[in-house]
Amino acid sequence: MKVKKLIALIAILPFLVATAISCNEKQKANESAEKEPAPVTKKLAYDLNDPKDQLLIFEKLQGDLSGKKTYSYSEGRVFGIRPDKPDSLDVFGKEVFRYSGCGMKIMRLLEDGNVETKSKGWLLYQDPKTGEYVSEMRNPYTGKVVDVPPFRAGIRGGIMTPEGPKVDANFTMESTAFGQPLNLVFTEIGDRMHVTRHAFTKWFEKKSQTWRTEMTLDTYDFDKSYLYDRSHPHIPADTHWTSETSWLSILDMAGTPGHMIWASSGGTYYNKEDLPAEFIAATEAKQPDIFGEPLEWEENEE
């Protein structure tokens, strides 16, 4: 009888040992957890609700405050919408063209905390199916061939303040972005930060002698770690731009119900060579002087 009990004890001995070890490990783990301090949450170097800090973040997303020249490149698609023609989806919405664009700029932080920018931007139209850079295209709504010359931005820079921009433009414009803070919206997702900013704008187009309207939504997606250190002069980001506008005057659709939707994606680079080779070649063919035009501060501006 004693032999049988001894055999039974030997049989369950490994289980008893394993259980004891497991309990001991759990006890040590619990004791260790009680002794270890809670993880410290890293504090942002910016106050995301402060208009001055919003200004710095927004400008660093668009360029480099150290004064280095940057190239903000994007590729986009443009659609037409005819809400008065809901019966046929092929008429209701059409892709009208594609485009590639670039904005060259220099920036500097002024003593009063504002940011001054000098810039030049341009856009090249592309065939929506082949991507070929074109000078004329067939309007899918009217069937007419229209000229689409290379576009040069009328805004040449300006000064950005916590109460909105002071813009240097060669046309008359109004915008909800003027005279008020940026009102950026921050959305934190994992280790990424998303920033959006919207504006409603209208401007007087000299060519058509009409007022044009536009709603824009700028979106920046970047590594949140850049917000832990204020010393970064530039915050690299994936950029996205969405816009709702009147019909382009070059499409010859004045009075036609509807509007256009623009959507683009891109980023900011430090060297011309970082831009797509096809875009560089097309720019030099259609606007041969633009890369060589000076973009610098004048002596009396220092």
Side-chain angles (χ1 to χ4, degrees):
M1 189 68 176
K2 290 182 179 180
V3 173
K4 289 183 179 180
K5 289 183 179 180
L6 181 60
I7 293 174
L9 180 61
I10 292 174
I12 65 171
L13 185 60
F15 172 76
L16 296 175
V17 172
T19 301
I21 292 175
S22 176
C23 292
N24 188 43
E25 289 178 346
K26 288 182 180 178
Q27 182 178 356
K28 288 182 178 180
N30 290 335
E31 292 175 354
S32 176
E34 291 175 358
K35 293 178 181 179
E36 290 181 1
V40 177
T41 302
K42 199 169 184 180
K43 186 178 180 180
L44 296 180
Y46 298 87
D47 180 351
L48 300 186
N49 295 311
D50 185 339
K52 293 181 180 180
D53 277 3
Q54 285 201 10
L55 167 65
L56 284 177
I57 294 170
F58 189 66
E59 296 302 301
K60 288 180 179 183
L61 287 167
Q62 298 183 83
D64 191 311
L65 293 187
S66 71
K68 293 181 180 179
K69 183 192 297 183
T70 58
Y71 300 77
S72 295
Y73 174 78
S74 62
E75 297 182 358
R77 305 175 68 185
V78 182
F79 300 86
I81 302 295
R82 290 285 307 272
D84 62 318
K85 299 289 185 180
D87 295 336
S88 172
L89 292 179
D90 185 54
V91 179
F92 168 76
K94 292 179 181 292
E95 184 171 14
V96 182
F97 57 84
R98 297 187 185 184
Y99 70 94
S100 297
C102 184
M104 294 171 55
K105 65 174 69 72
I106 54 175
M107 311 173 77
R108 60 182 178 184
L109 184 62
L110 304 178
E111 291 184 359
D112 58 6
N114 296 336
V115 175
E116 185 175 13
T117 301
K118 275 200 170 184
S119 64
K120 53 184 174 180
W122 68 100
L123 177 153
L124 303 180
Y125 295 92
Q126 295 173 265
D127 183 276
K129 293 182 179 179
T130 67
E132 176 187 359
Y133 294 97
V134 297
S135 298
E136 62 179 25
M137 56 167 281
R138 185 177 298 278
N139 183 336
Y141 282 101
T142 65
K144 296 179 180 179
V145 175
V146 298
D147 293 329
V148 285
F151 172 79
R152 288 292 297 268
I155 297 178
R156 300 176 291 256
I159 295 178
M160 191 67 176
T161 79
E163 293 298 322
K166 300 176 182 178
V167 176
D168 176 14
N170 62 3
F171 56 92
T172 302
M173 64 185 299
E174 300 176 18
S175 178
T176 58
F178 297 164
Q180 60 181 331
L182 283 164
N183 192 28
L184 302 180
V185 176
F186 294 86
T187 303
E188 184 177 345
I189 302 178
D191 60 356
R192 306 291 291 178
M193 184 69 81
H194 303 263
V195 176
T196 57
R197 177 234 189 181
H198 75 275
F200 300 95
T201 304
K202 71 174 184 177
W203 71 98
F204 188 76
E205 185 180 63
K206 296 178 182 178
K207 181 179 179 180
S208 65
Q209 289 293 297
T210 59
W211 284 94
R212 320 295 291 177
T213 58
E214 178 179 40
M215 181 272 178
T216 56
L217 179 68
D218 301 284
T219 303
Y220 301 86
D221 169 22
F222 60 96
D223 190 325
K224 187 177 64 177
S225 64
Y226 280 93
L227 296 183
Y228 294 128
D229 184 354
R230 295 178 71 94
S231 69
H232 295 294
H234 170 59
I235 301 178
D238 295 326
T239 62
H240 309 281
W241 179 73
T242 304
S243 174
E244 184 275 338
T245 70
S246 312
W247 298 109
L248 278 178
S249 58
I250 59 176
L251 295 177
D252 194 23
M253 293 178 65
T256 303
H259 54 269
M260 307 189 78
I261 301 293
W262 298 60
S264 68
S265 298
T268 297
Y269 308 93
Y270 283 99
N271 301 298
K272 167 187 170 184
E273 292 70 26
D274 291 329
L275 306 178
E278 297 83 358
F279 176 75
I280 294 175
T283 295
E284 292 176 338
K286 295 177 178 295
Q287 302 200 46
D289 300 325
I290 198 164
F291 283 118
E293 292 175 1
L295 188 62
E296 55 192 18
W297 308 111
E298 297 175 9
E299 290 186 7
N300 60 3
E301 294 179 310
E302 296 293 341

